[in-house]
């Protein structure tokens, strides 16, 4: 028996923090401290395109960069159409309404997600219904979803209804957490069985693929985000992508006040939103998109370094992309062994004291006060995930500073 497995058998209940800090330091090399969780970098190209908006007076929600940015994002995901939106939350809201989610419908989503997913469901007047996650992907667990629906769903007056609340079950929103794709084949089967529309929350997974297919192309529509901490940023921004041309046309109309195209008349044909992305933001996005594949390559190099630094590590490991997928590794995740879940906050304190801006997983949605009363499946994995996961700094440029220092 090797020494390390003998040690593993009588591991102390207290996690030795020094080796964790050393391993993270080895990966981050000489990067300036503090090291933020995820930061953008802008260059001459960003400046050039943003200045062009100012110099030409095209700063608002029409202009060539909006169209160009939409084309670049459609190409990067493998979608036919893309509609630029003012941020990811607004894009989710609009996407849900456009998919037919109505007041008092229930929308299924993982409890482990950023609060925007649940908020968008609420903005649409619907009720978030939380389901469990799986360690296989960190995302929604299709088997847990199916078992739950088998228990609570009934077919009534031509629709699947939650028999505990009497409300219609309308849609499911899988979230590709930290860039790792949800098992979309399994989810697709459950969604088909219960007649649920799939709206992908692909806000964290630009450029990730599953069996060669881009995240954002599995559902009828999907949503991306270009917030300041995402891989590609427009300051704030979002996108709805879909292969359905009529749907894309409606999305564009619905998010730009439903104004009928006309040289001078102001005519509108439905209650709609002012959700379109300004040209000046899209210009930033175009410059960033030119570097998308280089940024993903760098993030995958960084992930490999984390994986290596924590391989055979006593007490914790780095989360590896699911089988068959190529993740963009938006955020690297350190998973503590079960016996160390009580050590999470002590470790976060030590990392912060050391200039490493790590953070815990989001508080699960069902534990937030505004969502306490929402329907839910049993959530054992979500609660465990929350206590065991820590995100580590993952900006693409960190791979460069690590390389230069040959760590
Ligand atoms: C970033 C993000 C969003 C959208 O956020 P915005 O800041 O509104 O662009 C939605 N869901 C998840 C899971 C996210 O990470």
């Amino acid at each position: 028996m090797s020494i390390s497995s003998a040690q593993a058998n009588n591991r102390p209940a207290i996690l030795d923090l020094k080796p964790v800090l050393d391993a993270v330091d080895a990966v981050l090399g000489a990067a300036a401290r503090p090291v933020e969780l995820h930061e953008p970098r802008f260059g001459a190209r960003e400046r050039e395109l943003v200045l062009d908006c100012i110099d030409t007076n095209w700063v608002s929600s029409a202009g060539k960069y909006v169209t160009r940015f939409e084309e670049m994002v459609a190409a990067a995901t493998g979608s036919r159409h893309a509609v630029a939106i003012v941020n990811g939350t607004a894009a989710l809201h609009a996407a849900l309404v456009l998919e037919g989610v109505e007041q008092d419908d229930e929308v299924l989503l993982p409890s482990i997600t950023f609060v925007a997913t649940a908020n968008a469901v609420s903005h649409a007047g619907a009720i978030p219904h939380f389901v469990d996650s799986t360690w296989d992907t960190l995302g929604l667990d299709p088997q847990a979803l199916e078992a739950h629906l088998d228990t609570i769903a009934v077919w009534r007056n031509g629709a699947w209804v939650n028999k505990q609340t009497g409300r219609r079950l309308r849609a499911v929103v899988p979230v590709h957490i930290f860039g790792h794709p949800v098992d979309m084949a399994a989810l697709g089967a459950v969604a088909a069985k219960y007649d649920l529309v799939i709206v992908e929350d692909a806000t964290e997974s630009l450029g990730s693929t599953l069996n060669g297919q881009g995240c954002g192309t599995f559902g009828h529509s999907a949503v991306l985000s270009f917030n300041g901490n995402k891989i590609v940023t427009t300051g704030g921004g979002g996108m709805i992508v879909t292969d359905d041309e009529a749907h894309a046309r409606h999305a564009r109309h619905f998010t730009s006040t439903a104004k009928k195209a006309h040289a001078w008349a102001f005519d509108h044909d439905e209650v709609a939103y002012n959700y379109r992305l300004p040209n000046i933001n899209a210009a930033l996005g175009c410059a960033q998109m030119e570097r998308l594949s280089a940024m993903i390559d760098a993030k995958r190099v960084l992930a490999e370094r984390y994986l290596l630094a924590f391989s055979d590590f006593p007490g914790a490991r780095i989360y590896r992309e699911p089988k068959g997928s190529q993740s963009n590794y938006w955020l690297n995740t350190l998973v503590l062994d079960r016996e160390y879940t009580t050590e999470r906050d002590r470790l976060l304190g030590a990392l912060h004291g050391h200039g490493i801006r790590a953070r815990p997983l989001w508080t699960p949605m069902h534990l937030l006060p505004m969502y306490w009363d929402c329907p839910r499946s049993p959530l054992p994995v979500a609660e465990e995930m929350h206590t065991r996961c820590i995100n580590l700094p993952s900006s693409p440029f960190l791979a460069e500073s690590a390389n230069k220092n040959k760590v």
Side-chain angles (χ1 to χ4, degrees):
M1 183 186 266
S2 72
I3 292 171
S4 65
S5 64
Q7 279 173 342
N9 290 336
N10 338 246
R11 225 182 265 153
I14 288 186
L15 181 68
D16 193 1
L17 300 181
K18 177 79 169 43
V20 181
L21 299 185
D22 288 348
V24 174
D25 273 341
V27 172
L28 298 178
R33 305 301 194 264
V35 187
E36 301 298 336
L37 195 63
H38 205 286
E39 280 183 288
R41 282 279 155 98
F42 303 114
R45 185 68 172 154
E46 280 84 348
R47 188 168 291 130
E48 177 194 336
L49 300 193
V50 170
L51 271 178
D52 184 48
C53 295
I54 294 169
D55 292 342
T56 58
N57 244 7
W58 282 95
V59 295
S60 198
S61 18
K64 66 181 176 187
Y65 292 115
V66 174
T67 309
R68 192 192 292 180
F69 185 49
E70 289 174 342
E71 287 167 0
M72 292 175 99
V73 172
T77 54
S79 296
R80 288 217 180 84
H81 307 282
V83 180
I85 306 289
V86 72
N87 61 51
T89 310
L92 270 168
H93 173 204
L96 289 166
V97 174
L98 287 160
E99 293 290 359
V101 170
E102 291 175 3
Q103 185 82 30
D104 292 332
D105 283 345
E106 288 184 13
V107 173
L108 297 137
L109 71 157
S111 186
I112 294 286
T113 184
F114 177 53
V115 70
T117 321
N119 285 344
V121 172
S122 304
H123 297 331
I127 312 293
H129 183 147
F130 301 116
V131 290
D132 211 8
S133 301
T134 167
W135 286 105
D136 292 348
T137 64
L138 299 182
L140 189 149
D141 182 349
Q143 280 163 350
L145 174 67
E146 183 169 23
H148 180 58
L149 290 172
D150 287 350
T151 314
I152 61 126
V154 286
W155 182 257
R156 199 180 283 165
N157 304 328
W160 287 101
V161 167
N162 178 350
K163 67 182 172 202
Q164 296 170 340
T165 62
R167 290 188 290 245
R168 182 173 74 147
L169 297 160
R170 183 68 187 113
V172 59
V173 185
V175 186
H176 307 297
I177 304 287
F178 308 140
H180 305 308
V182 168
D183 179 350
M184 292 305 292
L187 180 67
V190 182
K193 179 171 166 184
Y194 285 103
D195 209 12
L196 298 167
V197 185
I198 298 176
V199 178
E200 281 175 83
D201 181 336
T203 49
E204 302 181 358
S205 55
L206 176 63
S208 294
T209 61
L210 177 60
N211 300 319
Q213 187 178 340
C215 282
T217 64
F218 294 95
H220 184 242
S221 61
V223 161
L224 295 145
S225 166
F226 307 101
N227 189 32
N229 63 349
K230 297 303 203 288
I231 291 197
V232 162
T233 186
T234 55
M239 193 79 74
I240 297 173
V241 293
T242 179
D243 278 347
D244 180 337
E245 190 187 350
H247 194 76
R249 206 179 317 118
H250 189 204
R252 190 163 277 121
H253 189 65
F254 185 64
T255 55
S256 39
T257 69
K259 184 181 178 301
K260 288 155 83 175
H262 191 275
W264 58 81
F266 259 74
D267 249 344
H268 308 260
D269 55 12
E270 63 182 315
V271 178
Y273 292 89
N274 175 18
Y275 270 180
R276 291 280 277 157
L277 185 73
N279 199 46
I280 194 163
N281 299 80
L284 202 54
C286 289
Q288 293 257 296
M289 283 301 289
E290 290 174 6
R291 290 193 282 117
L292 175 64
S293 69
M295 288 196 283
I296 291 176
D297 289 349
K299 288 174 74 62
R300 291 183 60 82
V301 166
L302 185 67
E304 274 308 319
R305 284 168 194 275
Y306 274 125
L307 282 160
L308 196 65
F310 284 93
S311 62
D312 297 324
F313 195 86
R317 67 190 164 89
I318 295 290
Y319 192 81
R320 187 184 285 280
E321 64 194 350
K323 266 205 190 66
S325 72
Q326 283 258 343
S327 175
N328 66 15
Y329 280 98
W330 175 50
L331 293 182
N332 286 283
T333 307
L334 185 69
V335 184
L336 297 171
D337 286 359
R338 275 201 183 85
E339 63 260 48
Y340 294 130
T341 52
T342 51
E343 298 282 272
R344 185 197 68 183
D345 289 355
R346 205 167 62 87
L347 177 56
L348 283 166
L351 286 162
H352 275 248
H354 199 62
I356 291 161
R357 299 269 163 86
R359 74 166 193 213
L361 216 58
W362 312 282
T363 298
M365 296 302 105
H366 69 285
L367 300 180
L368 298 177
M370 62 284 196
Y371 294 127
W372 278 341
D373 293 339
C374 289
R376 67 181 78 157
S377 74
L379 298 164
V381 179
E383 293 192 355
E384 191 197 329
M385 231 173 231
H386 174 54
T387 60
R388 289 180 60 193
C389 294
I390 286 178
N391 290 128
L392 294 171
S394 300
S395 306
F397 62 82
L398 293 172
E400 267 164 60
S401 57
N403 273 331
K404 270 190 209 113
N405 296 287
K406 301 253 184 304
V407 180

